[in-house]
Amino acid sequence: MGKTIKLIASILLCETAGIIGVGFTTSAIPTWYDALNKPSFNPPSWIFGPVWTALYFFMGLSLFLVWINPSKTKQKAFLFFFIQLLLNAIWSPVFFGLRSTSMGLIVIIFLWIFILLTLIHFYKISKPSAALLAPYFLWVSFATVLNFSIWQLNL
């Protein structure tokens, strides 16, 4: 498989994970999410789409850099990456689809852990790939605090 195909596949895979949640998210914002109590640091809803699109793109580039790296020790890094991508894909259906701030919090905590594990293992293979995951890790760190705050404010 050529590098161009690997690059396109990596980006499409990650962007697809984001597309999974869009239907759950957009339908729940005006009917459920807007009615929740939110902390003062809650960003406006319009910011999430552009931020996540960019983050999925960076994730795809990161995956690509590890994929094309000649290292023979990629199995664990790939495992952690795909677990975090799965957790990422299910967070929106859980949080928005099930309208569960508590279950969303559980998912996002595991997501945060697996992003960290991915970042550590990607760093060992390709430092630029880890650097591409850093904004994602920071955003999900913020999102975890936000999810926790929303959960607390709506008990």
Side-chain angles (χ1 to χ4, degrees):
M1 189 181 299
K3 285 185 179 180
T4 303
I5 298 298
K6 287 181 178 179
L7 175 62
I8 292 168
S10 297
I11 293 170
L12 284 177
L13 174 69
C14 293
E15 293 289 349
T16 299
I19 292 168
I20 289 170
V22 170
F24 295 97
T25 304
T26 54
S27 64
I29 288 174
T31 60
W32 174 70
Y33 185 74
D34 283 347
L36 292 174
N37 296 316
K38 291 180 266 323
S40 60
F41 59 86
N42 187 69
S45 294
W46 64 264
I47 198 103
F48 290 95
V51 168
W52 275 111
T53 301
L55 292 174
Y56 287 122
F57 180 76
F58 294 152
M59 290 164 58
L61 289 177
S62 178
L63 176 62
F64 168 72
L65 291 175
V66 170
W67 195 358
I68 64 167
N69 189 289
S71 171
K72 300 292 185 209
T73 59
K74 296 188 258 188
Q75 293 80 8
K76 194 179 280 189
F78 282 144
L79 176 65
F80 290 141
F81 183 88
F82 289 111
I83 291 171
Q84 71 77 27
L85 192 62
L86 175 65
L87 290 165
N88 181 303
I90 67 169
W91 182 85
S92 287
V94 169
F95 185 89
F96 289 106
L98 297 177
R99 299 178 179 198
S100 178
T101 59
S102 59
M103 290 299 295
L105 182 59
I106 292 167
V107 172
I108 204 167
I109 289 169
F110 280 103
L111 172 59
W112 186 89
I113 292 166
F114 277 95
I115 294 169
L116 180 59
L117 291 169
T118 301
L119 208 145
I120 291 166
H121 283 80
F122 274 28
Y123 183 83
K124 294 174 186 176
I125 297 165
S126 165
K127 288 175 182 48
S129 72
L132 285 164
L133 288 181
Y136 174 46
F137 179 73
L138 293 173
W139 183 259
V140 172
S141 297
F142 169 74
T144 303
V145 172
L146 181 60
N147 191 152
F148 175 79
S149 298
I150 292 170
W151 171 67
Q152 282 289 296
L153 291 168
N154 292 280
L155 286 176

